[in-house]
Amino acid sequence: MNAKKFLIFSISLGLAIQTNAQGWSLRQCLDHALDKNIQIQQSRLQEASAEADLWQARGELFPSLNFSTTQSIGYRPFEETMAVVQNGQVTTTDNRFTYQGSYGLNASLTLWNGGINQKNIEAQKLQGKIAELQTRQNEQSIQEQIAQLYVQIMYSAEAVRVNQQLEQTAKNQYDRGQQMMEQGQMSRADVAQLEAQWRSAQYDVVSGETTVANLKRQLKALLQLPMEQEFDVSGTFPSESQVLEPLPSKEETLRSALSQRAEIKSAQLDIAAADLQRDIAQRGFLPTVSLNAGIGESHYSGSQKSVGEQMKTNLNMSAGVTLSVPILDNRRNRTNVKKAVLQQQTARLSLEDKKTTLSSTIEELWLNAASGQQRYLSAKAQTQSQKTSYDLLDEQFKNGLKNIVELLQGRDQLLNAKQSELQSKYQTLLNIQLLKFYTGEEIRL
């Protein structure tokens, strides 16, 4: 297979794959990613973990209960008589081998520890909300990435379409050049340049299709689709009205974003959580009151009483209240308070940083969208002008009025103008949609 047939085969194969693959709309891509993306699923697991921590924190309000038992064997080869104290009773034995068993059931309940348990519950509720917002933040990030890739795919696909049109024009010029060479109106060198132009146009088509395929691969990875699954997008090329629609106000967009963006709400909750942790740390200086109760049994093989009699005799029960007052704790509480204060300051700085970043991002999107609309209008007018000039050059070339150099220059100028138009068109479209997304609207293409 020669180079010409191979290139034509490659182009045909690429187009066939795009035609047969299932087309996904942007909405389908977003919904699928929100359900299947691994990063989002991991965030949801963090939400479940935070819920488990809250469940455990609530459990600290209930009493604890535990059972313990000890079974032991003793051997004293040189001791003639041994005395064992069990629950206040003394038992003597001459046995060198002895067996002893003890059983205990103990309960404990914290009556008051400065309100730390209740505050821990509040802290865990905040952590649960922060985990939910982190999931929303990841969802927003994934949607932005998908929208960017989707727009890039549409831009590259339209660029391929333009290159295909130029490739067909280059092919027609090459065919016309061969006819003119046979009639003695063009040199073989000029025909070779026309063939090189045609081959270059074919390469541009194949290169563009490779770019589209690579972008689709990246989008498939975000969607967690298997490599062997065919994939294509079904979005239509945007209209001029979509690119030139009125822009929302920068100030209104920022106000809306500050009130509903997940990263801002999460940073605000981080401050509340830091305040709560400082309160908990300060309560570490307060005393703790706890209630304790227990019941125990034991028996001993060296006793003259049976096991049953010993269990009855040795049964003991106890209850009490414990007051614990921290006096010296190796500076643990003071250190905890200092760290909590530092965390408060860190959380406040983080909120201000995120507000600044969000403001800068929105302003950049707005400026790019506003300038992009003007650039698109200018690029479109330039493309139309270059298209008119190139059509005239092509006609003059066919009639022998223009040389090959002028024709190639005209083609390059038309290609550059069209690429500039497409870039401004899709970049402006993306900036407008992201501006809307920051105000809480869905991304629509």
Side-chain angles (χ1 to χ4, degrees):
M1 182 182 297
N2 58 35
K4 175 181 176 182
K5 292 182 178 179
F6 176 76
L7 286 173
I8 295 176
F9 172 77
S10 300
I11 295 171
S12 301
L13 179 61
L15 292 175
I17 291 176
Q18 292 180 13
T19 301
N20 294 331
Q22 179 183 4
W24 288 54
S25 67
L26 176 61
R27 187 70 261 166
Q28 287 176 307
C29 292
L30 295 176
D31 291 340
H32 184 86
L34 293 178
D35 184 51
K36 300 295 184 181
N37 183 266
I38 290 178
Q39 186 178 0
I40 294 176
Q41 293 185 58
Q42 289 173 333
S43 294
R44 289 173 182 155
L45 291 177
Q46 290 298 320
E47 289 185 51
S49 178
E51 183 66 26
D53 289 337
L54 174 59
W55 188 71
Q56 194 274 332
R58 286 172 172 164
E60 295 295 329
L61 299 177
F62 300 101
S64 63
L65 179 66
N66 64 81
F67 170 78
S68 63
T69 180
T70 301
Q71 310 294 320
S72 61
I73 297 176
Y75 176 61
R76 296 174 179 268
F78 304 109
E79 187 172 356
E80 297 179 356
T81 302
M82 179 174 61
V84 177
V85 180
Q86 286 185 295
N87 300 323
Q89 298 182 0
V90 181
T91 302
T92 60
T93 180
D94 294 332
N95 297 335
R96 295 182 177 182
F97 284 96
T98 58
Y99 168 73
Q100 182 177 5
S102 63
Y103 311 88
L105 188 64
N106 299 286
S108 177
L109 173 64
T110 300
L111 299 178
W112 191 74
N113 64 346
I116 290 179
N117 286 341
Q118 288 78 6
K119 292 297 180 179
N120 281 335
I121 292 175
E122 293 181 30
Q124 288 304 325
K125 287 181 180 179
L126 280 178
Q127 291 302 319
K129 293 179 181 179
I130 291 173
E132 291 177 6
L133 289 171
Q134 183 61 52
T135 299
R136 280 185 53 194
Q137 190 173 342
N138 288 335
E139 290 174 348
Q140 290 171 345
S141 176
I142 290 297
Q143 289 182 80
E144 289 179 29
Q145 294 178 56
I146 288 176
Q148 290 172 350
L149 282 173
Y150 203 93
V151 168
Q152 287 180 328
I153 290 172
M154 294 177 65
Y155 158 70
S156 300
E158 190 165 358
V160 167
R161 187 178 66 172
V162 171
N163 288 333
Q164 288 172 339
Q165 294 172 352
L166 291 176
E167 186 271 334
Q168 184 59 50
T169 300
K171 174 65 167 56
N172 294 338
Q173 291 170 348
Y174 171 65
D175 292 340
R176 174 57 179 163
Q178 284 187 315
Q179 294 175 1
M180 293 175 67
M181 181 183 67
E182 293 173 357
Q183 296 170 3
Q185 299 176 353
M186 181 175 290
S187 67
R188 184 176 298 275
D190 287 342
V191 174
Q193 290 189 51
L194 289 176
E195 183 179 11
Q197 174 192 239
W198 175 43
R199 300 299 184 189
S200 176
Q202 288 180 317
Y203 174 78
D204 289 341
V205 172
V206 176
S207 178
E209 291 178 340
T210 301
T211 299
V212 172
N214 187 50
L215 290 170
K216 290 178 182 178
R217 176 193 60 80
Q218 296 178 48
L219 184 53
K220 285 174 64 176
L222 281 179
L223 299 177
Q224 311 297 150
L225 297 176
M227 180 181 64
E228 62 275 8
Q229 179 172 340
E230 292 185 349
F231 176 80
D232 196 8
V233 299
S234 61
T236 57
F237 296 132
S239 63
E240 183 174 301
S241 60
Q242 290 177 276
V243 180
L244 298 179
E245 66 175 291
L247 300 180
S249 164
K250 281 189 296 183
E251 293 75 14
E252 182 60 33
T253 301
L254 180 58
R255 282 195 295 270
S256 178
L258 289 174
S259 66
Q260 59 86 31
R261 286 288 292 185
E263 64 267 31
I264 301 300
K265 288 186 175 182
S266 179
Q268 292 170 340
L269 287 182
D270 283 338
I271 293 177
D275 294 340
L276 194 54
Q277 288 301 320
R278 180 179 180 178
D279 187 14
I280 292 173
Q282 290 173 331
R283 291 170 185 264
F285 293 103
L286 301 177
T288 300
V289 180
S290 60
L291 176 65
N292 304 286
I295 182 171
E297 286 276 12
S298 63
H299 59 84
Y300 181 60
S301 64
S303 174
Q304 296 177 353
K305 296 180 180 182
S306 66
V307 172
E309 291 175 328
Q310 291 184 67
M311 295 286 285
K312 180 179 179 180
T313 303
N314 294 338
L315 178 64
N316 68 94
M317 292 174 283
S318 64
V321 177
T322 300
L323 172 65
S324 176
V325 181
I327 299 176
L328 297 175
D329 64 348
N330 304 108
R331 301 178 179 174
R332 281 190 293 270
N333 283 331
R334 292 184 182 276
T335 301
N336 290 338
V337 172
K338 287 183 179 180
K339 287 185 175 181
V341 171
L342 294 174
Q343 185 58 39
Q344 284 180 305
Q345 297 172 355
T346 300
R348 289 185 173 89
L349 290 174
S350 178
L351 174 59
E352 292 304 315
D353 180 62
K354 289 181 179 179
K355 285 182 177 180
T356 301
T357 300
L358 181 61
S359 175
S360 177
T361 299
I362 288 175
E363 185 173 11
E364 181 182 13
L365 289 172
W366 193 93
L367 290 174
N368 287 340
S371 62
Q373 288 180 332
Q374 298 302 316
R375 188 167 57 252
Y376 168 72
L377 291 175
S378 175
K380 183 178 180 182
Q382 182 68 16
T383 299
Q384 292 174 344
S385 174
Q386 292 297 335
K387 179 67 168 58
T388 302
S389 298
Y390 184 69
D391 290 342
L392 180 59
L393 276 173
D394 184 43
E395 186 65 28
Q396 290 174 332
F397 172 75
K398 291 178 180 178
N399 295 321
L401 301 177
K402 293 292 182 180
N403 59 41
I404 186 64
V405 174
E406 292 173 311
L407 180 67
L408 296 180
Q409 289 176 345
R411 176 187 176 276
D412 291 340
Q413 291 171 353
L414 173 60
L415 182 59
N416 291 336
K418 189 60 180 178
Q419 288 177 342
S420 178
E421 178 189 347
L422 291 179
Q423 288 174 353
S424 59
K425 176 183 179 180
Y426 282 96
Q427 191 60 48
T428 302
L429 178 67
L430 177 62
N431 288 327
I432 292 174
Q433 291 302 316
L434 289 180
L435 272 176
K436 292 182 176 181
F437 184 62
Y438 274 80
T439 63
E441 297 184 28
E442 291 185 354
I443 300 176
R444 298 181 182 276
L445 295 176

